């Protein structure tokens, strides 16, 4: 039975969703946008058929341009299909009572967010199956380990280096239902069996093209993804665009909105045609503490062989965080390791993290340096003061000396074997450097 607390929580979720939907519908009506409810299917590159199953009405819509914004659906596990009750996805979990125990299959952003939500509510024992040595593989190790530590303090168990070996939903003699799963440790090859009330499959999402009638166009879908050009047009058509999760470029709400705006601009703008540059997309992960990011991280820099400087400033030295009694977190800034010190990326963990990274978003897009960004005058006391002090550490202007305290870290990284320049980078470093020849 769903308890009063569960019902109130879900009522709040429904209210927020309905409130936002009402706002959007009012905005469409005010803009005199015609809305048709039903399932749409292309009959040709310039026509779609719309069927409303409730009214039984068919409509034929012809248009000069089409924008596919059909979103995505949770990816099903190839071996363990969901039943919507015991083995579920993120599409099911929000409207179900809180389980006493759950295993999350997948340690990416969505899996970790749900693990944090359930752990914070305090009614669910949470396990995560992670095939890698650490969670959040797309982020730097310090971010991932910090988040992992926060989850473990909340009682979350992470099965590292583990693969799902078997999973079965069951019902015992007393009518109690649950899920039994077996994992295999990728290093030791040992197996272990665990029992939980539910299993959450969180292994990504897939674009939603079902019933869209793409076979009646020349739109190309390769490996489950729509083939689009740099302007989001569905190759080879010049009048059909795809945006958001329908392309699965970057599956974020702000990315989908940006792509939608860019598509309309490309169709109707009289400005000179130019390829949109999206290099300052900010992201937020809602975990035990907020985790926000913009630009490159250290892994990205090393992969692309970019020399960099990194400074990390702990919330313990931010007056606002101390006053709030919440010193969990840090601010991390990455700049080029040269005279310019161009801002490459920012990461923040903790209270007001998203506000911190927004300070650097425009600077990254405009290729600004840390010197220019250091001219920012932040309010006091504010969490953004930590951002300002982190910049000062990079520029050698901070009153606090880096690497003296464990919360104040600064380091540099250079591509290996770069003494003789790019051409010789893959060769062994020579015993000599640049020579001057006098004639």
């Amino acid at each position: 039975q769903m308890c009063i607390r569960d019902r109130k929580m879900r009522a709040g979720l429904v209210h927020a969703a309905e409130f936002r939907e009402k706002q959007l519908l009012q905005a469409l009506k005010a803009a005199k946008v015609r809305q048709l409810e039903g399932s749409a299917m292309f009959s040709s590159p310039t026509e779609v058929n719309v069927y409303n199953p409730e009214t039984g009405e068919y409509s034929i819509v012809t248009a000069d341009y089409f924008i596919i914004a059909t979103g995505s659906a949770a990816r099903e596990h190839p071996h363990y299909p969901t039943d919507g009750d015991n083995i579920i996805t993120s599409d099911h979990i929000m409207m179900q009572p809180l389980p006493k125990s759950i295993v999350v299959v997948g340690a990416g952003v969505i899996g970790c967010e749900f693990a944090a939500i359930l752990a914070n509510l305090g009614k669910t024992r949470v396990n995560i199956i992670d095939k890698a040595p650490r969670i959040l593989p797309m982020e730097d190790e310090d971010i991932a380990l910090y988040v992992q530590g926060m989850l473990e303090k909340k009682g979350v168990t992470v099965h590292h280096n583990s693969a799902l070996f078997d999973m079965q939903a069951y019902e015992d003699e007393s009518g109690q239902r649950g899920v039994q799963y077996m994992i295999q440790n990728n290093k030791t090859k040992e197996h272990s069996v665990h029992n939980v009330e539910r299993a959450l499959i969180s292994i990504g999402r897939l674009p939603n093209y079902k019933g869209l009638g793409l076979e009646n166009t020349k739109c190309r879908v390769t490996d489950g993804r729509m083939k689009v050009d740099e302007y989001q047009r569905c190759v080879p058509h010049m009048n059909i665009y795809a945006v958001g999760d329908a392309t699965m470029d970057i599956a974020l709400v702000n990315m989908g909105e940006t792509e939608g705006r860019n598509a309309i601009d490309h169709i109707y703008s009289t400005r000179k045609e130019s390829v949109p540059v999206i290099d300052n997309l900010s992201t937020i992960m809602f975990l035990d503490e907020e985790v926000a990011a913009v630009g490159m991280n250290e892994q990205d820099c090393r992969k692309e062989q970019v020399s960099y400087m990194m400074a990390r400033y702990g919330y313990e030295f931010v007056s606002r965080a101390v006053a709030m009694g919440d010193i969990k977190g840090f601010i991390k800034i990455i700049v080029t390791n040269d005279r310019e010190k161009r801002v490459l990326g920012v990461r923040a963990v903790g209270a007001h993290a998203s506000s911190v990274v927004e300070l650097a978003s425009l600077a990254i897009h405009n290729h600004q340096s840390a010197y220019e960004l250091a001219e920012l005058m932040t309010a006091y006391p504010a969490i953004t003061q930590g951002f300002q002090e982190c910049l000062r550490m990079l520029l050698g202007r901070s009153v606090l000396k880096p690497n003296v305290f464990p919360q104040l870290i600064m380091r540099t990284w250079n591509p290996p074997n770069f003494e003789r320049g790019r051409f010789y980078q893959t060769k062994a470093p020579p015993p000599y450097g640049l020579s001057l020849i006098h004639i």
Side-chain angles (χ1 to χ4, degrees):
Q1 288 290 327
M2 187 181 293
C3 70
I4 298 297
R5 182 182 176 188
D6 291 346
R7 286 198 291 267
K8 285 184 177 180
M9 181 177 65
R10 275 156 187 78
L13 292 172
V14 171
H15 172 74
E18 291 178 345
F19 180 79
R20 188 67 179 126
E21 181 187 27
K22 184 178 179 180
Q23 284 182 323
L24 293 172
L25 292 176
Q26 288 176 339
L28 290 171
K29 185 178 180 180
K32 298 181 179 180
V33 175
R34 181 188 175 197
Q35 181 183 351
L36 297 175
E37 294 187 1
S39 302
M41 182 177 72
F42 280 99
S43 58
S44 76
T46 58
E47 184 178 273
V48 296
N49 296 329
V50 182
Y51 171 66
N52 187 324
E54 294 185 1
T55 63
E57 294 180 353
Y58 280 94
S59 301
I60 298 176
V61 179
T62 59
D64 295 330
Y65 301 94
F66 292 89
I67 297 178
I68 299 173
T70 49
S72 62
R75 184 193 296 268
E76 291 276 348
H77 196 284
H79 305 299
Y80 310 108
T82 59
D83 56 21
D85 187 12
N86 295 104
I87 302 177
I88 59 177
T89 69
S90 56
D91 292 340
H92 309 111
I93 193 171
M94 299 301 288
M95 299 310 297
Q96 290 189 338
L98 294 173
K100 295 179 180 179
S101 57
I102 195 169
V103 60
V104 180
V105 182
V109 174
I110 296 177
C112 288
E113 284 183 330
F114 274 111
I117 292 169
L118 293 169
N120 280 325
L121 290 173
K123 296 182 63 177
T124 306
R125 175 173 55 85
V126 182
N127 300 335
I128 301 176
I129 299 177
D130 183 13
K131 63 182 179 182
R134 62 174 175 83
I135 63 174
L136 301 175
M138 83 299 286
E139 270 301 340
D140 289 334
E141 187 176 47
D142 54 355
I143 298 284
L145 293 181
Y146 196 90
V147 170
Q148 182 177 305
M150 290 189 294
L151 289 174
E152 289 174 344
K153 286 180 181 179
K154 294 288 184 179
V156 176
T157 299
V158 183
H159 302 300
H160 293 296
N161 295 303
S162 297
L164 181 61
F165 195 79
D166 188 31
M167 177 182 285
Q168 298 289 335
Y170 68 86
E171 183 175 355
D172 61 22
E173 296 177 355
S174 64
Q176 186 72 29
R177 304 180 71 179
V179 176
Q180 184 178 85
Y181 69 94
M182 178 185 294
I183 56 175
Q184 174 180 275
N185 187 288
N186 295 328
K187 288 186 175 180
T188 65
K189 304 303 179 183
E190 293 180 352
H191 296 81
S192 59
V193 178
H194 307 265
N195 289 280
V196 290
E197 187 175 334
R198 288 201 188 93
L200 173 64
I201 306 299
S202 181
I203 54 175
R205 301 183 67 83
L206 292 173
N208 183 20
Y209 305 139
K210 186 178 180 180
L212 199 54
L214 293 178
E215 65 275 9
N216 297 322
T217 70
K218 293 182 180 179
C219 295
R220 299 208 302 263
V221 177
T222 304
D223 295 329
R225 295 188 177 189
M226 185 85 71
K227 178 67 175 178
V228 297
D229 65 10
E230 64 270 28
Y231 301 107
Q232 301 298 126
R233 293 177 297 198
C234 301
V235 178
H237 297 292
M238 297 292 104
N239 69 314
I240 302 177
Y241 292 71
V243 301
D245 283 13
T247 65
M248 291 305 290
D249 180 19
I250 299 177
L252 296 170
V253 173
N254 50 348
M255 186 64 173
E257 181 180 349
T258 299
E259 289 177 343
R261 290 177 178 273
N262 288 342
I264 294 297
D265 285 345
H266 187 253
I267 293 171
Y268 294 111
S269 176
T270 57
R271 296 191 301 268
K272 182 181 178 181
E273 188 178 57
S274 61
V275 178
V277 178
I278 304 174
D279 55 3
N280 62 330
L281 186 72
S282 301
T283 63
I284 309 174
M285 291 180 277
F286 295 99
L287 303 165
D288 188 50
E289 292 288 343
E290 188 177 329
V291 180
V294 64
M296 302 175 73
N297 59 25
E298 291 187 77
Q299 288 185 166
D300 297 331
C301 291
R302 296 190 182 204
K303 183 178 179 180
E304 297 186 21
Q305 299 289 286
V306 176
S307 179
Y308 67 86
M309 294 179 65
M310 186 283 294
R312 192 170 71 219
Y313 195 91
Y315 269 32
E316 292 91 339
F317 293 90
V318 180
S319 299
R320 177 65 176 270
V322 174
M324 291 167 58
D326 187 5
I327 59 173
K328 300 188 298 292
F330 58 83
I331 296 163
K332 176 177 176 179
I333 302 176
I334 301 170
V335 301
T336 54
N337 187 19
D338 54 22
R339 292 181 180 179
E340 183 185 7
K341 289 183 172 56
R342 180 165 57 86
V343 181
L344 297 173
V346 175
R347 297 295 185 272
V349 182
H352 304 184
S354 58
S355 299
V356 171
V357 301
E358 295 301 338
L359 295 174
S361 178
L362 190 59
I364 291 172
H365 184 70
N366 292 334
H367 306 290
Q368 289 181 297
S369 71
Y371 295 100
E372 294 172 289
L373 203 53
E375 296 176 4
L376 173 74
M377 294 296 293
T378 60
Y380 182 91
I383 295 295
T384 49
Q385 174 207 359
F387 179 83
Q388 189 178 50
E389 283 299 319
C390 194
L391 280 171
R392 288 171 177 166
M393 280 208 317
L394 285 166
L395 301 176
R397 301 175 182 175
S398 176
V399 296
L400 296 170
K401 190 173 181 180
N403 301 323
V404 172
F405 299 96
Q407 301 88 356
L408 305 176
I409 304 296
M410 193 165 76
R411 60 171 172 260
T412 61
W413 182 86
N414 295 300
N417 302 339
F418 213 83
E419 290 84 351
R420 295 179 67 187
R422 195 175 305 278
F423 178 73
Y424 293 94
Q425 188 179 0
T426 58
K427 305 178 185 300
Y432 49 84
L434 180 66
S435 300
L436 295 177
I437 301 176
H438 298 275
I439 300 176

